[in-house]
Amino acid sequence: MMLSNQKEIQPIKSSPAFSFINNFPLQSVSIFQLISLLIIFAILLNSKISAQEDELTKLLQLDLEELTDLKIISATKRLNRISEVPATVRVIKTDEIKENGYLTLEEILSDLPGFQFRNIQGFNSYVFQRGIINQNNYTLLLVDGVEINELSSGGFYAGGQFNLDDIEQIEVVYGPASSLYGTNAISGVINIITKNPEAENEIHISGLIGSFNTYTINSSYSFYDEEEKLGLRISGMYYNSEKADLAGVNGDFNWSPDMENFERDYSLNLKTAYNNFILGVLFQNKQASRTTNYRSVGTNYLDKNSLWNISFANIFMKHSLFIQDNLDIQSKVAYTNTTVHDNTIAYVTDTSQVGYYRPNYSLTAELVTYYQPLSELKLIGGINFKSEWLSKQFSITESNSSSEKPPIPSEPNIDRNDILSLFIQSELSLLRMLNFFIGARYDQSSVYGDVITPRVGLVLNYERLTLKALYSEAFRAPKPWDYTSGLGNPNLTPEKMRSFELAGGYSFANILKVGVSFYNNKLIDIIDQEFIGNEYKWVNKGIVKVRGVETTTDIYLKNVKAYMNYTYNFSTNNDDIFLPEISRHIANVGVNVKLSEVIKLSLRGNYIGKRTNPQVITNTGNDLIDAAFILHSALTYTALKNLNLTLSIKNILDTEYYHTSNRPPDRYRQPQRTILFNVDFSF
């Protein structure tokens, strides 16, 4: 993460935020006016359609109760109501994924407060949570509670390799969580929980086709025997897309008209359940072009024949032992493998192809005990042991021409890291409506030494009101890449985060829920580049301070669900200079309307405020990325009981908008209007 030579964002004097559509002057409409118009339109449309059935003011009480009392596991490693955990948590459920026509993990996160992106439309997309730029290594990504970050770098891969049809819900924990999870959980934790076999026996098939040669096919089979307590679920997915038109002028003249930019992913997931045992096997493979990582126009880089081939494999077994009502033990063992395969071609020049290879794997064993000695006191404690075998660097080979594939790289040097972790969390109930939380985790690593991360929280629940006061710390441990790249630096220490947060929520008359979070975060000992002549090494230096606020509004009427959220981030470095790539203002809005018993309409929009680019953009002559508003829709028709047809349109207004760049291309054009058609069938 680069902190030097950063500039304050200057006001944009003349740059329309919106595009024209059918000659309607959308650029003259403020974001708040547009949000209001969308909600009013949806409510009026819904009221006309449903007037003959019921009055509009009938409430969807069940939906609001589920939202308030939703049970989650990621914030405490035990099922708790979302209103009672010492963290801000937001949940995306399977029906929301379908209703909104989401295609990738980034699309889901983009509708939540606090998330910004650097999507290079290539082999990865970078996710910034709560105002800190990074390489996806400040957020811990889990699938069914098992880490899926790339082990050698600590970063996670976003994109199309996640089987969204197989997701039960996604739990997003905001803020530091190292007191439970250890390294990487600085900005938060994302836990993707897949569907269990405990469901109706069914076969599910879906297929999607659309713009930019995008298509997916997905199938699953689920079986459960209630009498034997035996279940099986297996699912598979294949995804293909060229994402956007980035050739020539459409790609800001970074690539030739003949560029190739593909992504081909597949995912396999198996879950078996027997009594209190669960066995899970997950395999994801992402194959993508590396074209967008480098400019081809005016350079010796070519924009064809590269291949980034990386896979993620998790095998785990979990067991639950219920000794008595106030005592149980949860155990887990897991094997994780994240490998950049030896047929990877990282880049192609006019004289050679360059091959990379980087294998990594780990073994983890964890024991978590829950004990409630008193009605007012709950304790959760655990021990975790993890051994990692991590590549120090890429193993690299090079061919002798641009048309010749490189030799297969040899095995790279491997480092072993053994980590022993102990953690305990206590919850004390005071006056029935006030809960006090305190806890800490101790990590002892054979590589980076000892780290202690505490956590303290107060949670008040009184009738419809929830208030939370939270303090937590977190860390990110250096990885082999940090220690060895460039000149190398074996003396690196972990980056550390300290966070204060005040959060509150209130429900009005069972139709409206509002929430707000104020946070003050400080990241110290940042691992940053230091240049020595033409060489560099990573060193601990610099500070990032983030002061921010997130607001949320959820509306539940009879046939209408709507949401609005807004995020303000003030992110500065140790010189009090505002960070590049971070927008101060983000807003999201969405409306889901049940037009009839068989037709549902989703409209959602994302507003991204202006940002400073790390470098001057050749085509504009300045370093500003303009603000933009992007509108999406999905129309679902239930043709038969088990048959759904969905028409999705991404970027309805065909807005031309860009993301920032820390790579040779000055900035990254985002996808043009994209039309997708999906067929979903179960039997």
Side-chain angles (χ1 to χ4, degrees):
M1 170 176 160
M2 298 297 295
L3 300 176
S4 57
N5 299 321
Q6 297 171 353
K7 300 180 181 179
E8 179 73 35
I9 293 183
Q10 300 298 321
I12 299 179
K13 296 182 179 179
S14 59
S15 58
F18 310 111
S19 299
F20 283 89
I21 182 170
N22 296 331
N23 297 319
F24 184 78
L26 279 176
Q27 78 276 24
S28 66
V29 181
S30 73
I31 179 66
F32 303 105
Q33 290 171 324
L34 188 55
I35 289 171
S36 302
L37 286 172
L38 285 172
I39 293 177
I40 292 170
F41 170 76
I43 292 174
L44 291 176
L45 183 61
N46 176 70
S47 105
K48 182 175 180 180
I49 291 174
S50 61
Q52 295 177 352
E53 300 175 347
D54 290 288
E55 295 180 3
L56 178 65
T57 54
K58 285 188 177 180
L59 309 178
L60 289 178
Q61 294 183 356
L62 180 61
D63 283 338
L64 192 59
E65 289 173 3
E66 287 180 344
L67 179 69
T68 304
D69 295 330
L70 190 66
K71 288 191 174 183
I72 61 166
I73 194 170
S74 306
T76 59
K77 292 199 173 183
R78 183 175 176 85
L79 280 177
N80 278 290
R81 289 185 175 88
I82 196 170
S83 59
E84 297 176 350
V85 300
T88 296
V89 184
R90 295 180 174 93
V91 177
I92 304 93
K93 297 186 72 64
T94 184
D95 57 345
E96 296 175 89
I97 294 173
K98 289 184 177 296
E99 288 173 359
N100 291 317
Y102 294 126
L103 191 59
T104 64
L105 178 62
E106 302 98 302
E107 288 186 10
I108 296 173
L109 299 177
S110 69
D111 279 345
L112 299 180
F115 283 93
Q116 300 185 46
F117 304 87
R118 182 207 299 141
N119 192 337
I120 69 171
Q121 296 302 311
F123 74 106
N124 204 2
S125 174
Y126 298 91
V127 181
F128 309 148
Q129 188 177 1
R130 283 194 167 174
I132 304 178
I133 54 178
N134 63 92
Q135 297 297 105
N136 283 3
N137 50 16
Y138 288 171
T139 297
L140 181 65
L141 183 63
L142 312 171
V143 176
D144 292 320
V146 180
E147 179 183 9
I148 203 166
N149 291 58
E150 202 267 344
L151 293 173
S152 184
S153 67
F156 72 83
Y157 276 68
Q161 75 270 21
F162 297 94
N163 185 352
L164 302 189
D165 276 11
D166 200 40
I167 293 174
E168 183 63 33
Q169 68 183 34
I170 301 175
E171 300 176 2
V172 182
V173 181
Y174 286 72
S178 288
S179 62
L180 282 177
Y181 291 100
T183 184
N184 286 93
I186 280 187
S187 296
V189 174
I190 301 171
N191 191 8
I192 299 172
I193 299 173
T194 63
K195 295 177 180 178
N196 283 321
E198 292 92 339
E200 294 182 1
N201 299 341
E202 69 170 18
I203 296 175
H204 172 261
I205 299 173
S206 69
L208 176 144
I209 189 168
S211 308
F212 306 115
N213 196 29
T214 300
Y215 56 89
T216 68
I217 185 166
N218 188 305
S219 64
S220 65
Y221 169 72
S222 185
F223 164 81
Y224 190 72
D225 186 323
E226 180 68 33
E227 184 175 335
E228 298 292 333
K229 302 297 182 184
L230 174 65
L232 168 70
R233 180 178 175 84
I234 184 168
S235 63
M237 179 273 300
Y238 180 81
Y239 166 87
N240 182 90
S241 183
E242 295 171 5
K243 305 187 187 84
D245 182 4
L246 299 177
V249 62
N250 291 328
D252 225 19
F253 298 105
N254 285 304
W255 303 283
S256 75
D258 297 324
M259 79 170 293
E260 66 176 10
N261 188 37
F262 60 86
E263 182 172 336
R264 297 188 294 264
D265 308 328
Y266 66 87
S267 173
L268 297 171
N269 194 15
L270 169 70
K271 262 188 178 179
T272 61
Y274 177 67
N275 285 329
N276 295 325
F277 286 92
I278 294 179
L279 171 67
V281 179
L282 172 68
F283 182 81
Q284 297 176 341
N285 181 249
K286 174 191 281 290
Q287 298 187 42
S289 166
R290 282 258 290 182
T291 291
T292 64
N293 212 51
Y294 307 96
R295 289 174 57 99
S296 63
V297 174
T299 73
N300 67 334
Y301 288 99
L302 304 185
D303 51 24
K304 281 190 173 183
N305 298 323
S306 63
L307 171 67
W308 194 256
N309 184 8
I310 185 169
S311 65
F312 308 86
N314 283 340
I315 302 173
F316 69 86
M317 178 175 285
K318 299 179 181 180
H319 178 254
S320 301
L321 176 62
F322 299 96
I323 300 172
Q324 51 192 38
D325 289 343
N326 67 338
L327 177 63
D328 62 64
I329 299 174
Q330 310 290 325
S331 56
K332 174 179 69 178
V333 292
Y335 166 80
T336 298
N337 186 305
T338 63
T339 294
V340 178
H341 290 279
D342 59 12
N343 65 338
T344 292
I345 300 174
Y347 56 91
V348 182
T349 69
D350 53 12
T351 60
S352 67
Q353 295 187 11
V354 178
Y356 279 15
Y357 175 47
R358 186 168 71 183
N360 310 278
Y361 58 96
S362 70
L363 291 171
T364 303
E366 182 175 81
L367 196 69
V368 179
T369 301
Y370 167 79
Y371 179 50
Q372 187 173 1
L374 303 170
S375 59
E376 300 85 6
L377 179 63
K378 300 175 184 176
L379 300 172
I380 297 177
I383 182 170
N384 181 293
F385 181 77
K386 182 178 184 179
S387 285
E388 301 175 317
W389 290 265
L390 309 178
S391 296
K392 284 188 175 183
Q393 292 179 322
F394 286 109
S395 178
I396 302 174
T397 58
E398 188 171 353
S399 70
N400 295 315
S401 75
S402 61
S403 59
E404 177 188 347
K405 292 190 180 300
I408 299 298
S410 61
E411 289 288 325
N413 293 326
I414 299 292
D415 267 348
R416 179 170 174 175
N417 181 22
D418 294 323
I419 309 167
L420 175 65
S421 305
L422 304 171
F423 60 90
I424 186 168
Q425 309 279 324
S426 66
E427 176 186 348
L428 179 63
S429 297
L430 306 170
L431 306 174
R432 293 187 180 180
M433 60 183 179
L434 182 65
N435 290 344
F436 174 67
F437 295 83
I438 186 169
R441 175 169 171 140
Y442 169 72
D443 289 273
Q444 183 187 63
S445 164
S446 61
V447 173
Y448 56 80
D450 302 344
V451 183
I452 297 176
T453 47
R455 176 192 208 181
V456 180
L458 275 174
V459 178
L460 170 70
N461 279 287
Y462 178 71
E463 295 183 349
R464 299 175 181 272
L465 175 68
T466 298
L467 295 175
K468 301 181 181 183
L470 311 169
Y471 173 78
S472 53
E473 296 185 9
F475 74 99
R476 186 189 83 86
K479 294 292 185 176
W481 181 259
D482 303 308
Y483 287 118
T484 61
S485 61
L487 296 173
N489 182 3
N491 300 315
L492 291 173
T493 60
E495 302 172 281
K496 297 177 182 178
M497 167 83 93
R498 300 190 184 104
S499 173
F500 294 91
E501 181 174 357
L502 294 175
Y506 191 81
S507 300
F508 294 89
N510 288 331
I511 62 172
L512 176 66
K513 181 176 174 63
V514 297
V516 62
S517 296
F518 299 92
Y519 48 90
N520 189 331
N521 298 336
K522 187 175 183 180
L523 183 63
I524 63 175
D525 293 333
I526 290 173
I527 297 175
D528 197 8
Q529 280 184 326
E530 181 178 275
F531 285 90
I532 303 171
N534 293 327
E535 297 289 340
Y536 75 92
K537 65 178 179 179
W538 295 99
V539 298
N540 290 103
K541 68 175 183 179
I543 295 172
V544 165
K545 294 174 286 186
V546 182
R547 287 150 285 175
V549 59
E550 296 164 354
T551 66
T552 59
T553 302
D554 294 281
I555 302 170
Y556 287 84
L557 300 175
K558 183 184 184 303
N559 289 324
V560 177
K561 293 188 293 183
Y563 69 87
M564 292 178 285
N565 60 66
Y566 166 77
T567 303
Y568 173 80
N569 276 316
F570 191 80
S571 304
T572 59
N573 64 11
N574 48 299
D575 295 321
D576 290 327
I577 298 174
F578 199 85
L579 296 185
E581 302 196 72
I582 298 298
S583 170
R584 299 192 192 200
H585 306 283
I586 312 168
N588 304 302
V589 59
V591 179
N592 285 286
V593 186
K594 187 177 180 181
L595 299 176
S596 72
E597 290 301 315
V598 296
I599 299 177
K600 293 181 181 179
L601 173 66
S602 164
L603 285 173
R604 54 189 181 87
N606 309 121
Y607 172 78
I608 310 167
K610 62 181 180 288
R611 291 156 289 166
T612 298
N613 202 47
Q615 56 201 343
V616 172
I617 302 162
T618 303
N619 274 4
T620 64
N622 59 47
D623 60 357
L624 291 178
I625 301 291
D626 289 344
F629 178 74
I630 308 97
L631 187 64
H632 314 282
S633 70
L635 184 67
T636 301
Y637 172 59
T638 305
L640 298 171
K641 180 181 179 181
N642 297 320
L643 176 63
N644 291 317
L645 309 176
T646 302
L647 177 66
S648 302
I649 306 177
K650 320 284 186 184
N651 192 5
I652 295 175
L653 307 179
D654 206 19
T655 301
E656 182 178 336
Y657 70 107
Y658 294 84
H659 281 185
T660 55
S661 171
N662 68 342
R663 287 167 163 76
D666 295 340
R667 59 179 179 173
Y668 284 98
R669 172 78 179 269
Q670 297 303 293
Q672 297 88 349
R673 183 185 295 118
T674 304
I675 300 174
L676 304 165
F677 179 70
N678 185 73
V679 178
D680 189 297
F681 182 63
S682 299
F683 58 92

